Amino acid sequence: MTSDNQTLENIQNFEGKYPKQLWYLFFSEMWERFCFYGMRGMLVFFMAHELLMSEETANLQYGATQAFVYAFTFIGGLFADKILGFRKSLFWGGLLMIIGSLILAFEPHTYFFLGISFTVVGTGFFKPNISTMVGSLYGKNDNRRDAGFSLFYSGINIGALMGGYACIAIGKGELFAHLIPNHLYWNVAFGLAAIVMTISLITFAFTQKTLGPIGLSPFKKTIVNEKGETVVVHESKNWYNLAVFVGSLATIPIIMTMVAKTAYTDYFMYIIGPVTLLYLFFEMTRHTWEESKKLIAALVFIIFSIIFWAFFEQSGGSLSLFAASNLDNTILNTIKLDPNGVNNSANSLFVIIFAPIVGLIWIALAKRKIEPNTVVKFGLGFLFLAGAFYIFYATRFFANANGVTSLDVFTVAYFVVTLGELCLSPIGLSIMTKLSPARLQGIMMGMWFLASAYGQYVAGLLGAGMAKANENATLQEKLYAYTSGYQQLAIYALIAGVVLIGISPLVRKLMGDVK
């Protein structure tokens, strides 16, 4: 039995705009995202240029790897809800991510899929649970929740900005090359991911004492003793925890096989989605119709988010290969930058700069009672995405005779992508916690990330389709193959945005009192 004077009520009744615990979770997430986006930014380039896969295969492998990363967030959320609790789940996931990064740092060419598999399982245990703990810092009707998630989202993007640029630039020998022997570029790049993940885990270890009952195992209960102190009572279920730890390690060889052979990934994706939906429908039978309507509304957001991420996640796949082959390395004719680093980090830079501005715009519109509702914001996200992919398509008009085009125009497209993301993603994390009953919060957050898994999976298929003709293609032919694909995505994003805005009144009714 241990004592902790922080009750949930005390935490949620904080003064000011943000609870102090949010800042601790912010920094832990920031370093974890450095690791994640650093790894993500290296995947396709490393597979195509170091493992010598075809561009089509590299896109499929990327989609499979990322799909499993996000699919495991659902599984991680489920085990956190039912057995481990969010804290223990997060720590276990972080430890697996460190091991995976260290394996890649040791010998990335030989042990690539083994290292990636540890990272996949680790991210599944880490990612959904820290987001859920952020939601637990706020009371049910606290209107400061969206602001908190927006700040948390900026932490994600600071980590993504640093990791997205640094890791790929080090791996390619574009950054710190004078300090690193050229045969160790990739070892150091993957090793950097391990270092920052260790910092994230240490940060969280010192954060736990401020979280009171938030994130504890469901087998632990908080009570008030005769002295008026809040104490935690432990129910002995240690073998449950051990079973989860052993089981997650046992899945790593399976993940290795399924990621390496993308046909197995297809079977997995055909099964996991329907099974997850059936499980959610079963859970709905245990809730009131009012709660179930909100869960149906959450499903609408989840379905459209699959489409959004399928387009958005070209950044880690086809756009990474496009950047490596078809972009120059100069911004504004003066600043030399690695084009892959820009591809990985431009979005995050724009989020950091413009997320507060977009937030202020929503507040100003709300004061005038003309702020669009959450569903319309989702629709606007698609319209911006359509504009961005049209600009990616338009880069073909700025190319030289060799098929190399403007990094400036490419970066402008990412600015428009960011506006779309700011209409959708921070709201998505928040709306899942608002629409979910307390006992399903981890599962619904997991489903939100499972939707991202399907988005990643489809992104890989789309990217592979664009790369089919690229095996022995000239740079000019690659330019036209990829930009033609981006033109098609622009059209589909436009249609999705119009449909979503059209059905917004119906979805708003399903949401009930949730704003």
Side-chain angles (χ1 to χ4, degrees):
M1 198 182 292
T2 60
S3 65
D4 190 328
N5 291 324
Q6 282 277 56
T7 66
L8 184 61
E9 185 178 18
N10 287 340
I11 292 170
Q12 292 179 344
N13 290 336
F14 62 90
E15 294 182 1
K17 196 171 184 181
Y18 305 112
K20 67 178 183 180
Q21 293 85 354
L22 180 62
W23 292 102
Y24 306 144
L25 295 174
F26 170 102
F27 283 109
S28 185
E29 176 77 344
M30 182 186 78
W31 291 117
E32 186 272 339
R33 292 289 91 180
F34 184 117
C35 172
F36 176 82
Y37 281 99
M39 296 279 280
R40 168 185 175 271
M42 292 187 281
L43 285 180
V44 165
F45 186 95
F46 187 85
M47 288 188 285
H49 293 267
E50 295 294 317
L51 301 182
L52 304 180
M53 297 180 186
S54 69
E55 292 193 0
E56 179 183 358
T57 302
N59 269 295
L60 288 173
Q61 294 283 10
Y62 170 78
T65 302
Q66 293 298 99
F68 277 115
V69 165
Y70 284 91
F72 258 83
T73 59
F74 172 75
I75 297 169
L78 182 64
F79 281 125
D81 265 349
K82 304 298 184 185
I83 299 175
L84 296 179
F86 301 127
R87 297 192 204 178
K88 198 171 290 184
S89 178
L90 185 151
F91 202 85
W92 174 241
L95 190 61
L96 293 177
M97 291 176 73
I98 292 168
I99 294 170
S101 300
L102 288 174
I103 290 170
L104 290 166
F106 175 67
E107 183 40 76
H109 296 82
T110 305
Y111 301 116
F112 179 76
F113 287 111
L114 176 61
I116 289 299
S117 298
F118 268 93
T119 305
V120 164
V121 178
T123 305
F125 279 98
F126 189 102
K127 180 58 185 165
N129 301 313
I130 196 165
S131 300
T132 305
M133 282 192 280
V134 170
S136 299
L137 298 175
Y138 295 88
K140 183 178 179 181
N141 297 312
D142 193 330
N143 58 15
R144 297 171 294 183
R145 180 189 295 254
D146 282 357
F149 270 101
S150 293
L151 176 66
F152 183 69
Y153 202 66
S154 70
I156 291 173
N157 282 280
I158 292 169
L161 170 65
M162 296 187 294
Y165 192 91
C167 289
I168 186 69
I170 290 171
K172 290 174 67 178
E174 300 287 340
L175 188 65
F176 304 135
H178 61 293
L179 300 174
I180 306 167
N182 58 12
H183 67 286
L184 294 178
Y185 288 158
W186 289 105
N187 305 74
V188 172
F190 287 114
L192 179 60
I195 291 168
V196 298
M197 192 62 230
T198 303
I199 296 171
S200 172
L201 217 52
I202 292 171
T203 302
F204 183 73
F206 285 100
T207 301
Q208 292 192 70
K209 62 176 184 255
T210 70
L211 292 172
I214 293 173
L216 292 176
S217 164
F219 301 121
K220 294 181 180 179
K221 299 177 182 178
T222 56
I223 63 171
V224 178
N225 66 14
E226 61 277 4
K227 297 180 182 178
E229 298 171 327
T230 302
V231 295
V232 180
V233 181
H234 301 256
E235 188 179 337
S236 180
K237 297 282 185 180
N238 288 336
W239 73 271
Y240 283 20
N241 296 339
L242 184 61
V244 172
F245 298 149
V246 173
S248 55
L249 289 174
T251 63
I252 287 173
I254 300 170
I255 296 296
M256 280 182 65
T257 303
M258 296 180 78
V259 169
K261 297 179 181 179
T262 55
Y264 294 152
T265 307
D266 296 340
Y267 302 141
F268 177 81
M269 299 306 288
Y270 297 154
I271 294 169
I272 188 69
V275 169
T276 303
L277 281 176
L278 288 173
Y279 178 76
L280 181 62
F281 293 147
F282 166 72
E283 288 286 1
M284 281 184 185
T285 64
R286 304 167 69 182
H287 291 271
T288 67
W289 173 234
E290 284 302 312
E291 289 173 325
S292 294
K293 283 196 297 184
K294 291 175 183 177
L295 290 171
I296 293 169
L299 276 178
V300 173
F301 288 116
I302 285 169
I303 290 166
F304 275 90
S305 76
I306 293 173
I307 302 169
F308 185 90
W309 296 122
F311 299 173
F312 180 91
E313 285 300 330
Q314 294 306 308
S315 58
S318 69
L319 284 167
S320 179
L321 295 170
F322 181 74
S325 301
N326 292 101
L327 291 182
D328 63 33
N329 65 348
T330 307
I331 291 278
L332 302 175
N333 290 323
T334 54
I335 306 171
K336 286 196 171 184
L337 293 171
D338 175 57
N340 280 102
V342 172
N343 176 63
N344 293 342
S345 59
N347 169 242
S348 299
L349 177 63
F350 288 133
V351 167
I352 294 164
I353 295 170
F354 291 100
I357 296 172
V358 171
L360 290 173
I361 291 171
W362 296 141
I363 291 170
L365 292 175
K367 286 181 178 177
R368 292 171 174 77
K369 302 190 185 301
I370 54 173
E371 181 188 11
N373 64 51
T374 303
V375 194
V376 172
K377 286 179 182 177
F378 256 57
L380 290 174
F382 278 97
L383 299 185
F384 280 119
L385 195 66
F389 273 93
Y390 187 82
I391 298 170
F392 284 131
Y393 156 71
T395 56
R396 66 163 61 178
F397 303 119
F398 296 85
N400 61 24
N402 297 321
V404 176
T405 190
S406 168
L407 184 58
D408 289 331
V409 177
F410 185 84
T411 306
V412 169
Y414 262 112
F415 166 66
V416 182
V417 164
T418 300
L419 294 178
E421 184 188 5
L422 289 174
C423 289
L424 183 145
S425 194
I427 298 166
L429 288 171
S430 180
I431 204 70
M432 286 301 107
T433 62
K434 289 180 180 178
L435 290 171
S436 309
R439 62 182 295 274
L440 290 181
Q441 291 226 336
I443 292 171
M444 291 306 293
M445 191 65 74
M447 282 198 71
W448 176 253
F449 290 115
L450 183 59
S452 295
Y454 274 89
Q456 304 278 354
Y457 172 68
V458 175
L461 297 177
L462 293 172
M466 295 179 211
K468 276 187 183 296
N470 287 354
E471 191 68 31
N472 298 304
T474 65
L475 291 183
Q476 190 78 26
E477 290 167 338
K478 286 185 179 184
L479 174 74
Y480 275 82
Y482 279 120
T483 55
S484 295
Y486 301 146
Q487 183 185 29
Q488 291 298 309
L489 295 186
I491 294 168
Y492 298 146
L494 177 63
I495 293 169
V498 170
V499 168
L500 190 50
I501 291 171
I503 66 171
S504 61
L506 173 61
V507 180
R508 279 292 305 125
K509 286 183 180 178
L510 291 171
M511 291 170 66
D513 59 347
V514 174
K515 303 298 182 184

